[in-house]
Amino acid sequence: MTSYDTAATVIDRAPPRRNYEAADIHFIASRAMTYLLALTACTVVGFPLFWMVICSFKPATELYMSPPTFLPQQWTLQNYRDLFLQTRFPTYFLNSLIVAFGATLLSLLVGGLGAYSLSRFRFFGISGFSTVTLFCYMLPEVLIVIPLYIYVVQFGLADTLFSLIVANTAFTLPLALWFMRSYFNAIPVTLEESAMIDGCTRLQAMWKVTVPLAVPGLVSVSVFSFNHAWNEFLFALVFTSSERNKVLPLGLATWIGQDNIYSWGMLLASAVLVTLPVLVFYLAVQKRLVVGMTEGASKGE
Amino acid sequence: MARVEIRNVGKIFGNYKAVDDVSLTIEDGEFVVLLGPSGCGKSTLLRMVAGLELPTFGDIVIGETVATRLRPKDRNIAMVFQNYALYPHLTLYENIAFPLRVAGRRGDEVDKKVRWAAGLVGIEHLLARKPRQTSGGERQRTALARSLVRDPALFLLDEPLSNLDAKLRHSARDELRTFQERVGMTALYVTHDQVEAMGLGDRVVVMQGGRVRQVGTPEEIYLYPADTFVATFIGTPPMNLIDMPGEVLGVRPENLMPVSFFGQESGLRRMTMLVSRIEFLGSDKLIYGALDDPFGQAKVIARLPSSVPADIREGERAHFAVREHELRSFDPQTGLARPAPIPQRASVASHG
Amino acid sequence: MAETHTVQPGDRAIAYLTLTPSAAVLLLLVAVPTITVIGISLQDVGFGEMSGPWIGLENFAWALTSRTFWTALKNTFVWVFGSVSLEMMLGLGLALLLNRTFALRGVARAIILAPYLIPTVVAVLVWRYMFHDIVGILNYMLMSVGLISKPMVWLASTSTAMLSVIIVGVWKFFPFVVIALLGILQSIPQEQYEAAEIDGASAFQQFWRITLPHILPVFLLTALLRTIWTFHKFEIIYLLTGGGPLDSTTTLPILVYIKGFADFELGRAAAIALITFFILVVLLAVYFGFMKRAEARQ
């Protein structure tokens, strides 16, 4: 039989001695090691970006100094001012926005519809199409840049932003299809079935239930597409030539080749500005992804 | 409310027969339960009635219309899904209002209906919440309320209690039954839980391997199982089956009692059991053992109320008996039941 | 997928109609161009022309006998093998590190993932500045710790150009490996380690017997994916060195560009592009086969 006197014995005992994990030498060594490694990794990986930002605030004299100064002795916004006043940076920026938004919108509209079909139906040829999609995404750009260049010239679209939007879609669409398919897959089919029993047609169920739930997915797909089109360089290099129609990567690339004319300060300042939208978008998605809206619906499955 | 007729319905996926020639009529206001192990085709049958699946063969008639090819939205049905399928982006209020909004109803009418339905299931105070802020029981009630607002001709329920914990499931079952009686709904209810089926159904349809094994009131299927599958699927512990020359004998564990229990009664079949183990379950005792000849060492379980005095010990022989009219007989080849020997059947069936 | 799916009258029409725009776009932008490029590779396209007389497989014969092509092929393999192996090692190490819990882990993860997010042209810019022989910080740092005695011309010397390009590539793309491996590392049930701990396994044994077998399929798949992408990467090399000096960093995609849009010999460029594509198809076949197997195992 177990005893019933536990309550009484506890009172008489001395207060318990607390055990600290940190009193263990192995524990301390392993923690220290972790932090040391993490610090090293972050320093090495993060340094180029840190250096880019820091140097973009240095005056020209410091940028060409040898040995280089670490932190700017004199902080200046001159590089940024020059960028906007002396170069066509604003035009490039605007062009890049047009191309990236255009390609994203196009692939979102076309791809959203297609991905729904890929996710929900099993008719002949549909799973085959999924594979083809992934295959397209991995196709080398250099393979199709030649024929696309020929079409662009023949249709008189050379040196237009429109040609870039369309060409970028060749890669952002497979990406959108593939990703959105998996987002739709994650939304329980029973929700749509329930909507259909509640009186919706298939398309109403898709619009009223599936699409609202897929919003976090749509947002992140947009960011991926945007990022892809924002970075794209080869099509821009081949299709466009005039200053008026240059996008950022191409514009900056031309300056790199002429670093005697364009100062490093201006180049680094433009690099900082090109990175900004990408970072802003990334932060936006990160927040959306955490929400996990379908969590409540499928619990207990 | 309406009568539903399932006429020779079959469903084939690829080369797998999920549902095989099922015919069934659900009367107006009747609560019919489809019961069977997983993969028996009961959910597929329900989904065909819902219009989520097109039957490969046969027809489904709801009310006066042949509904086989109607879209779900045109069938005037409501369905409660196993995971409730509440729309996570809408509040409970909007979830319940959803069928009305889709149907184009507006303003006051929607509000009145939603509050009425929410009141019926007791969730008025939660209407502003999103599904993920509610408990399993509250979600189940919301799903029920949503199914009510359209005044559907038929309710379909796909294991609606299986995601609740045991305690909640008990009270939800009770509520569901009270509720059904009040609303008088025609319902088709799918479950794999025999206790739910027996407790809820006016009639129970036992399915296995895509086929209907038996249709009957809970009493009928318990007392007169149509075949050995139903006999062993229903009841815990299941009916003992004893292989005899030319027949299979079926004995419910609670009918297998010590001889002393029957006193001077006649019409008994005596059996001697070598007891291997005794389990004490509180109100009952389970006695495990093997029968002596002529019952060919068949392993059996007897269930004894703890209040019945019995001098039984593990490892020793004990004398048991069964009333002849409580014995069931099955064909050893087909497994089908042979006509029960005692004319008591009519009286049992009539109060079902 | 074992999940059930609804089939209603009209669904077939919806299924194909919603897919039509995607199919049309992919047909026009990928399938038709692929066929066109095969046509072009069979023509003798003169300088600045769009088409020319049919010459059969002559462009392929030219490619396979030209020294430039073989140099580019060799460079491609050096570039791919160097980049991917370094990316995988670094990626695995940092994924393991980020899988441990420590203060400010979120910040560390953001810093380590950052290079993958920034545009390639930005990466190139900043590294060119750091590689700069006179004002570059890299030479300054290496000289001050005594690793080199005089400034190196990283990108403009045939001996270091490929190495420099690989360094930038690895820095830019290894975070992808970290993301992929971190996901699978976090899916390993903690109980397995606890059980191993109780059974007396050392940290290394735990890595060898639990972590490694668990992540191996994803590790190999990631390596393959990185191989495919690195294989046809264009802009990072083009922007860093333009393929030079003296073809020392000219990979196959660079060669396609030079032939097609600097020399304007579209026929020959198309032939090289197709050969590149064939090599990729082999890699892709391995990738898809792998993925099928991995899916079947789940």
Side-chain angles (χ1 to χ4, degrees):
Chain A
M1 284 288 107
T2 49
S3 59
Y4 292 93
D5 57 358
T6 40
T9 45
V10 166
I11 295 169
D12 295 337
R13 267 163 64 192
R17 189 174 57 85
R18 192 171 164 163
N19 292 323
Y20 290 96
E21 275 184 321
D24 184 358
I25 186 72
H26 290 292
F27 177 81
I28 295 177
S30 122
R31 305 279 13 175
M33 192 70 173
T34 305
Y35 281 103
L36 197 68
L37 284 172
L39 192 69
T40 316
C42 290
T43 313
V44 173
V45 174
F47 181 78
L49 293 176
F50 166 80
W51 194 237
M52 165 180 97
V53 176
I54 288 297
C55 291
S56 74
F57 293 109
K58 285 181 183 172
T61 45
E62 271 184 65
L63 286 164
Y64 292 98
M65 212 183 271
S66 181
T69 53
F70 188 64
L71 284 178
Q73 288 164 340
Q74 187 196 341
W75 294 78
T76 173
L77 283 172
Q78 189 62 40
N79 296 322
Y80 290 89
R81 207 172 303 135
D82 288 351
L83 200 59
F84 280 92
L85 294 179
Q86 297 178 6
T87 71
R88 305 200 68 150
F89 185 83
T91 316
Y92 300 165
F93 203 94
L94 190 68
N95 287 344
S96 266
L97 280 180
I98 292 171
V99 170
F101 271 121
T104 303
L105 211 65
L106 198 62
S107 24
L108 219 54
L109 280 178
V110 174
L113 276 177
Y116 180 79
S117 182
L118 294 182
S119 152
R120 289 294 190 254
F121 299 113
R122 296 287 176 278
F123 293 118
F124 174 78
I126 285 186
S127 70
F129 191 86
S130 300
T131 316
V132 171
T133 304
L134 192 59
F135 189 76
C136 290
Y137 183 52
M138 295 189 191
L139 223 55
E141 277 179 313
V142 287
L143 181 73
I144 62 169
V145 74
I146 299 169
L148 286 184
Y149 168 72
I150 293 176
Y151 303 153
V152 161
V153 171
Q154 282 173 347
F155 288 115
L157 292 171
D159 200 22
T160 59
L161 293 180
F162 179 75
S163 68
L164 286 184
I165 291 175
V166 174
N168 273 313
T169 310
F171 289 94
T172 53
L173 179 64
L175 186 129
L177 276 169
W178 191 253
F179 275 78
M180 275 195 273
R181 191 186 81 120
S182 54
Y183 288 123
F184 285 142
N185 277 347
I187 296 170
V189 184
T190 45
L191 290 178
E192 267 171 62
E193 293 180 343
S194 173
M196 285 191 266
I197 284 173
D198 287 343
C200 289
T201 59
R202 161 77 71 179
L203 290 177
Q204 275 176 318
M206 173 183 163
W207 183 246
K208 283 177 195 276
V209 175
T210 313
V211 171
L213 288 175
V215 164
L218 298 182
V219 170
S220 37
V221 164
S222 316
V223 171
F224 288 135
S225 302
F226 184 90
N227 206 357
H228 188 105
W230 184 258
N231 285 333
E232 204 290 322
F233 175 70
L234 179 61
F235 291 139
L237 177 66
V238 173
F239 294 172
T240 53
S241 49
S242 71
E243 280 294 309
R244 203 163 46 86
N245 288 321
K246 271 185 187 168
V247 289
L248 281 172
L250 183 60
L252 265 57
T254 359
W255 295 352
I256 294 178
Q258 311 164 336
D259 54 17
N260 45 348
I261 305 173
Y262 296 91
S263 77
W264 277 113
M266 247 150 61
L267 283 174
L268 292 169
S270 63
V272 171
L273 291 178
V274 175
T275 312
L276 275 183
V278 178
L279 283 186
V280 167
F281 273 117
Y282 174 72
L283 291 177
V285 199
Q286 214 185 18
K287 227 173 192 174
R288 282 317 285 261
L289 287 178
V290 183
V291 177
M293 285 179 85
T294 49
E295 177 197 293
S298 48
K299 229 182 193 172
E301 260 189 314
Chain B
M1 291 294 145
R3 185 171 184 271
V4 177
E5 234 184 291
I6 297 167
R7 292 179 184 158
N8 304 100
V9 161
K11 178 75 189 179
I12 296 176
F13 292 114
N15 46 17
Y16 168 68
K17 244 183 214 174
V19 174
D20 188 6
D21 193 24
V22 170
S23 294
L24 185 67
T25 305
I26 302 152
E27 298 297 340
D28 192 0
E30 195 182 21
F31 197 115
V32 171
V33 178
L34 295 176
L35 172 68
S38 61
C40 73
K42 56 191 191 301
S43 287
T44 309
L45 188 60
L46 188 79
R47 290 169 61 82
M48 287 192 285
V49 175
L52 297 172
E53 222 60 85
L54 180 71
T56 316
F57 306 106
D59 278 311
I60 285 159
V61 183
I62 301 174
E64 299 301 312
T65 39
V66 177
T68 317
R69 290 186 161 277
L70 282 187
R71 285 186 291 185
K73 75 184 204 77
D74 302 323
R75 296 187 181 210
N76 193 24
I77 49 173
M79 184 157 167
V80 178
F81 288 81
Q82 183 171 9
N83 58 5
Y84 318 129
L86 297 182
Y87 311 121
H89 59 302
L90 302 177
T91 59
L92 296 199
Y93 184 97
E94 283 304 321
N95 260 287
I96 300 172
F98 188 88
L100 301 170
R101 301 223 189 271
V102 173
R105 315 272 187 77
R106 311 242 155 268
D108 250 16
E109 195 196 348
V110 172
D111 192 62
K112 245 169 63 188
K113 271 273 184 177
V114 170
R115 295 197 183 280
W116 165 78
L120 272 183
V121 297
I123 52 161
E124 304 100 318
H125 57 296
L126 301 170
L127 288 175
R129 295 205 189 160
K130 292 275 181 75
R132 69 165 168 277
Q133 300 161 322
T134 58
S135 71
E138 288 157 358
R139 286 181 205 171
Q140 188 251 339
R141 286 151 187 252
T142 310
L144 206 57
R146 184 176 64 186
S147 72
L148 282 169
V149 291
R150 281 215 313 170
D151 300 319
L154 171 66
F155 283 92
L156 304 172
L157 302 105
D158 187 3
E159 311 227 9
L161 305 184
S162 66
N163 280 344
L164 302 180
D165 60 51
K167 211 166 136 195
L168 208 54
R169 199 178 307 167
H170 196 87
S171 60
R173 197 168 72 218
D174 182 42
E175 277 167 28
L176 198 61
R177 185 71 228 204
T178 327
F179 181 76
Q180 192 258 337
E181 275 157 16
R182 193 160 29 155
V183 185
M185 62 194 192
T186 312
L188 190 57
Y189 184 107
V190 161
T191 183
H192 64 268
D193 180 340
Q194 48 169 307
V195 181
E196 262 174 44
M198 305 292 263
L200 284 170
D202 291 326
R203 280 192 301 154
V204 176
V205 179
V206 185
M207 290 185 70
Q208 194 241 342
R211 289 175 158 272
V212 171
R213 290 311 183 103
Q214 188 170 11
V215 183
T217 63
E219 273 130 323
E220 279 168 357
I221 63 163
Y222 188 77
L223 294 176
Y224 301 98
D227 59 19
T228 49
F229 170 78
V230 180
T232 50
F233 187 69
I234 307 281
T236 34
M239 185 180 258
N240 296 303
L241 293 181
I242 305 162
D243 280 318
M244 301 284 286
E247 70 170 345
V248 174
L249 277 184
V251 185
R252 287 276 173 212
E254 66 271 26
N255 295 338
L256 188 60
M257 299 288 272
V259 177
S260 57
F261 173 81
F262 296 102
Q264 300 304 309
E265 250 181 85
S266 61
L268 297 179
R269 178 86 60 102
R270 287 163 183 276
M271 301 173 172
T272 315
M273 190 201 305
L274 176 59
V275 177
S276 55
R277 201 155 58 85
I278 301 176
E279 266 176 21
F280 178 71
L281 299 181
S283 63
D284 291 312
K285 272 188 280 196
L286 293 185
I287 296 152
Y288 294 78
L291 294 180
D292 284 352
D293 281 333
F295 301 103
Q297 307 296 313
K299 291 229 189 300
V300 292
I301 305 171
R303 182 190 194 115
L304 232 61
S306 299
S307 54
V308 172
D311 185 25
I312 298 171
R313 268 182 289 274
E314 292 184 355
E316 293 180 8
R317 283 196 159 68
H319 297 285
F320 281 79
V322 189
R323 293 183 179 108
E324 287 283 356
H325 74 260
E326 285 168 347
L327 273 173
R328 297 290 169 260
S329 172
F330 301 95
D331 186 298
Q333 258 79 53
T334 61
L336 292 178
R338 291 179 171 149
I342 299 297
Q344 211 172 329
R345 175 169 194 158
S347 72
V348 172
S350 68
H351 65 79
Chain C
M1 250 160 284
E3 101 205 19
T4 48
H5 45 274
T6 0
V7 176
Q8 294 169 31
D11 275 1
R12 190 178 292 268
I14 293 177
Y16 288 126
L17 275 178
T18 49
L19 210 51
T20 306
S22 301
V25 171
L26 291 185
L27 195 74
L28 289 177
L29 289 179
V30 180
V32 175
T34 307
I35 295 165
T36 310
V37 82
I38 295 174
I40 296 168
S41 72
L42 302 176
Q43 298 171 25
D44 179 18
V45 185
F47 181 86
E49 304 279 320
M50 294 290 152
S51 59
W54 297 87
I55 51 165
L57 293 173
E58 225 168 88
N59 287 326
F60 291 90
W62 167 84
L64 295 177
T65 52
S66 89
R67 224 174 48 84
T68 340
F69 172 80
W70 290 105
T71 311
L73 190 65
K74 192 204 78 194
N75 287 340
T76 310
F77 279 105
V78 173
W79 152 247
V80 170
F81 184 78
S83 305
V84 174
S85 51
L86 284 174
E87 279 169 25
M88 295 311 294
M89 281 193 283
L90 219 63
L92 177 61
L94 287 185
L96 286 171
L97 181 66
L98 286 179
N99 195 34
R100 314 179 72 159
T101 42
F102 54 91
L104 294 178
R105 180 168 67 157
V107 178
R109 184 158 49 194
I111 291 174
I112 286 169
L113 299 191
Y116 191 65
L117 299 170
I118 62 162
T120 305
V121 69
V122 170
V124 167
L125 238 161
V126 92
W127 276 96
R128 277 182 73 130
Y129 181 53
M130 296 199 336
F131 275 139
H132 199 282
D133 48 346
I134 299 158
V135 300
I137 183 103
L138 208 62
N139 277 335
Y140 170 73
M141 286 200 288
L142 290 176
M143 273 157 67
S144 50
V145 296
L147 273 174
I148 52 174
S149 54
K150 56 178 176 37
M152 310 240 311
V153 276
W154 291 95
L155 292 166
S157 138
T158 48
S159 53
T160 51
M162 183 55 95
L163 176 71
S164 314
V165 170
I166 289 176
I167 289 174
V168 182
V170 169
W171 177 81
K172 172 88 179 73
F173 295 109
F174 88 93
F176 177 84
V177 182
V178 177
I179 302 171
L181 293 185
L182 204 52
I184 187 78
L185 278 176
Q186 280 167 351
S187 78
I188 304 177
Q190 196 56 40
E191 297 89 63
Q192 293 196 5
Y193 291 107
E194 284 163 4
E197 188 90 15
I198 288 166
D199 292 342
S202 68
F204 176 76
Q205 282 172 321
Q206 288 182 26
F207 173 77
W208 188 252
R209 299 193 178 269
I210 299 173
T211 313
L212 206 61
H214 202 100
I215 65 170
L216 195 64
V218 174
F219 185 86
L220 294 177
L221 212 60
T222 312
L224 210 51
L225 204 57
R226 283 304 318 151
T227 304
I228 291 165
W229 281 338
T230 310
F231 197 88
H232 63 65
K233 200 95 238 157
F234 168 77
E235 70 268 33
I236 198 161
I237 304 178
Y238 179 81
L239 287 171
L240 277 169
T241 63
L246 291 175
D247 290 349
S248 62
T249 54
T250 299
T251 59
L252 288 172
I254 301 278
L255 186 60
V256 173
Y257 175 80
I258 291 173
K259 274 285 149 223
F261 302 101
D263 300 351
F264 282 102
E265 293 181 282
L266 287 180
R268 289 180 172 179
I272 301 167
L274 275 171
I275 295 171
T276 312
F277 177 62
F278 289 140
I279 301 173
L280 259 174
V281 164
V282 174
L283 290 173
L284 280 171
V286 176
Y287 174 76
F288 279 108
F290 228 116
M291 218 172 56
K292 275 253 164 65
R293 267 233 311 252
E295 257 170 27
R297 213 176 310 162
Q298 276 169 8

